Amino acid sequence: MARPRLTAEAADGVRADICAAAARLYERDGYDAVTMRAIAAAMDRSQALPYRYFKNKEHIFVALRAMCFDRLTTTMEAVLARGDPPLVTLHTMAHSFITFAEANPAEYRLMFALRQPPPAEYPELHAARQRALATLQTAYQQAVDQGLISGDALTGSHVVWAAMHGLLTLHLAGQLTIGRRLDELVAPMLDTLFGPRRMAAAKAAGRRPQG
Amino acid sequence: MARPRLTAEAADGVRADICAAAARLYERDGYDAVTMRAIAAAMDRSQALPYRYFKNKEHIFVALRAMCFDRLTTTMEAVLARGDPPLVTLHTMAHSFITFAEANPAEYRLMFALRQPPPAEYPELHAARQRALATLQTAYQQAVDQGLISGDALTGSHVVWAAMHGLLTLHLAGQLTIGRRLDELVAPMLDTLFGPRRMAAAKAAGRRPQG
DNA sequence: CGGATTTAATTAACGTTGTTCAAAGAATCT
DNA sequence: AGATTCTTTGAACAACGTTAATTAAATCCG
């Protein structure tokens, strides 16, 4: 025959390199710095190379998004694995969500950009997002099962997700005028979502060493 | 002397025309269709004309954003002017917020875009946004004054604003997987924010013909 | 009325960008 | 070695934001 095709792993490796270069550019110099030419230049390759591995620029950003969601999911699953009392877990999970966003604002902006291709077109990204939400839902379900929260977990976890996300979105867009510390709004938000008295009691009673 | 400068009103008129052309393009063909050349072409002018009236493209979008916030504020103020009981007003205001977003998704996306210049650089836009939030805060304050809600109005109105916004943001980005109707989440969200029992009671007792 | 002058608007151009396509390079089999 | 097939490249295109040089328009003064 002829020259053998790249192994699937090899092709994935190149794709990973492309994503890494794009991520580095994005994190260091912002969205506008992520150009196809710059990505290729960072890899010491020609400007046309990325097009052999991604259909277009948008697909590269979709891949980046999925990677970010995977990272977020990992931290959320770690919280769930600690096995704290449900309300403590929810509280901690919400804070780790906020910590993630504040530590990686550029990534968060990317993940939840308002201008995005319809998720249905990118099942991989959709799955990554669902994994994060499922983790929250599991924690919420445990709280419901123990009678600490009423309502169904699917709806409730969506409400929590949306409320936290709204806070972070406004914060990152500089549209929060109340003070400088986001915490001033996080605490009341969590109180509203989970109830202040129950939270305090759960935290006092539920602290464990590790898990 | 020589050719007289354009009147301030005349210049504002041209600026308004530019914004109108940009808005029409944005609404009809999306963000990518809003190019300086297309704006000028829609006005039957040369491609360099917008630069005499706006520093750059970003400033045009800032102006559009401010116009959208003014429209939102108008509808919110109308709700406040009805003079319903505070909890009814808050409830109605939240729904009008959602109605606005669902009726003008493109505008909403524009208003709350994650990638935006720092608000401090555009006091006019900042003021327009503050006006909307102040309206909500006023309604919230009335509820606090009547003992229907605890906590301070500034914090509380921010929490409500953020929660509603989070819901809409995820909805518009297609990241809400629960059912098709946004209402399935709006109702639980409002219940969480304002309390279901008090809400129902207030609505039953407070309905008025017009205000 | 007619040149001088000052502002407005246009034409033309520059540097970049995303993307495509034909040509060149590399790796295998016969 | 030569043919063949995949990979990579170099060059090109159209479109964009933006700026500079040029032309058109409207006033004032004589």
Side-chain angles (χ1 to χ4, degrees):
Chain A
M1 283 287 181
R3 177 174 185 164
R5 272 212 170 127
L6 278 188
T7 315
E9 299 88 44
D12 284 347
V14 179
R15 262 184 285 271
D17 290 346
I18 292 173
C19 287
R24 199 161 46 240
L25 283 168
Y26 179 67
E27 198 153 353
R28 207 183 48 183
D29 301 323
Y31 181 86
D32 291 335
V34 185
T35 70
M36 297 302 252
R37 284 169 166 85
I39 293 172
M43 306 170 64
D44 273 314
R45 300 310 206 76
S46 85
Q47 64 190 259
L49 183 129
Y51 285 96
R52 269 208 107 55
Y53 295 91
F54 290 95
K55 189 186 170 194
N56 53 32
K57 192 178 176 181
E58 184 170 277
H59 279 68
I60 295 181
F61 277 109
V62 168
L64 285 182
R65 253 188 280 269
M67 287 169 47
C68 291
F69 269 107
D70 281 339
R71 272 177 44 200
L72 173 61
T73 304
T74 298
T75 73
M76 290 174 69
E77 284 174 344
V79 173
L80 187 63
R82 286 166 54 177
D84 287 336
L87 284 180
V88 174
T89 299
L90 282 173
H91 201 95
T92 309
M93 209 175 267
H95 266 106
S96 76
F97 190 63
I98 289 181
T99 301
F100 177 89
E102 285 197 308
N104 315 283
E107 282 78 359
Y108 193 89
R109 256 182 272 260
L110 183 66
M111 293 163 72
F112 295 98
L114 247 18
R115 271 174 43 77
Q116 267 188 65
E121 295 180 12
Y122 301 94
E124 181 182 311
L125 172 56
H126 186 68
R129 193 151 38 207
Q130 283 309 104
R131 237 172 292 137
L133 226 161
T135 308
L136 175 62
Q137 190 185 340
T138 299
Y140 203 100
Q141 184 66 55
Q142 292 178 359
V144 172
D145 288 346
Q146 298 194 14
L148 302 168
I149 292 181
S150 61
D152 94 285
L154 182 59
T155 302
S157 57
H158 271 82
V159 168
V160 173
W161 182 264
M164 285 293 130
H165 170 60
L167 216 50
L168 288 170
T169 291
L170 294 178
H171 177 58
L172 291 179
Q175 301 194 10
L176 244 35
T177 50
I178 181 174
R180 303 240 160 183
R181 304 280 307 144
L182 183 59
D183 298 347
E184 294 177 35
L185 288 174
V186 171
M189 178 71 93
L190 291 176
D191 287 351
T192 303
L193 292 171
F194 303 128
R197 287 162 301 278
R198 287 180 302 186
M199 249 335 287
K203 285 179 79 170
R207 284 261 182 248
R208 297 187 182 188
Q210 193 64 287
Chain B
M1 283 290 182
R3 176 173 184 165
R5 275 216 167 122
L6 278 188
T7 315
E9 299 89 44
D12 284 347
V14 179
R15 261 184 285 271
D17 289 346
I18 292 173
C19 288
R24 199 162 46 241
L25 283 168
Y26 179 67
E27 198 152 354
R28 209 184 46 183
D29 302 324
Y31 182 87
D32 292 334
V34 186
T35 70
M36 296 303 252
R37 285 167 162 88
I39 293 172
M43 305 171 65
D44 273 315
R45 301 307 207 77
S46 83
Q47 64 190 268
L49 183 129
Y51 286 95
R52 270 207 103 62
Y53 296 90
F54 290 95
K55 188 186 170 193
N56 54 31
K57 192 178 176 182
E58 185 171 275
H59 279 68
I60 296 181
F61 277 110
V62 168
L64 285 183
R65 253 188 280 269
M67 288 169 47
C68 291
F69 270 105
D70 282 339
R71 273 177 43 201
L72 173 61
T73 303
T74 300
T75 73
M76 290 174 69
E77 284 173 344
V79 173
L80 187 63
R82 286 165 55 177
D84 287 337
L87 284 180
V88 174
T89 298
L90 283 172
H91 201 95
T92 308
M93 209 175 267
H95 267 106
S96 77
F97 189 64
I98 289 181
T99 302
F100 177 89
E102 285 197 307
N104 315 284
E107 283 78 359
Y108 192 89
R109 256 181 271 259
L110 183 66
M111 293 162 71
F112 294 99
L114 247 17
R115 270 173 44 77
Q116 267 188 66
E121 295 180 13
Y122 302 94
E124 181 182 311
L125 172 56
H126 186 69
R129 192 152 38 206
Q130 283 307 104
R131 237 173 291 136
L133 226 161
T135 309
L136 175 62
Q137 190 185 340
T138 300
Y140 203 100
Q141 184 65 55
Q142 291 177 359
V144 172
D145 289 344
Q146 298 193 15
L148 301 169
I149 292 181
S150 61
D152 93 287
L154 182 59
T155 301
S157 58
H158 271 82
V159 168
V160 172
W161 181 265
M164 285 292 130
H165 169 60
L167 216 50
L168 288 169
T169 291
L170 294 178
H171 176 60
L172 291 178
Q175 302 194 11
L176 244 35
T177 51
I178 181 173
R180 303 243 160 182
R181 303 281 306 146
L182 184 58
D183 298 347
E184 294 178 36
L185 288 174
V186 172
M189 177 73 92
L190 291 176
D191 287 351
T192 302
L193 292 171
F194 304 128
R197 287 162 300 279
R198 286 181 302 187
M199 248 337 286
K203 287 180 79 170
R207 283 261 183 248
R208 298 186 183 187
Q210 194 64 286

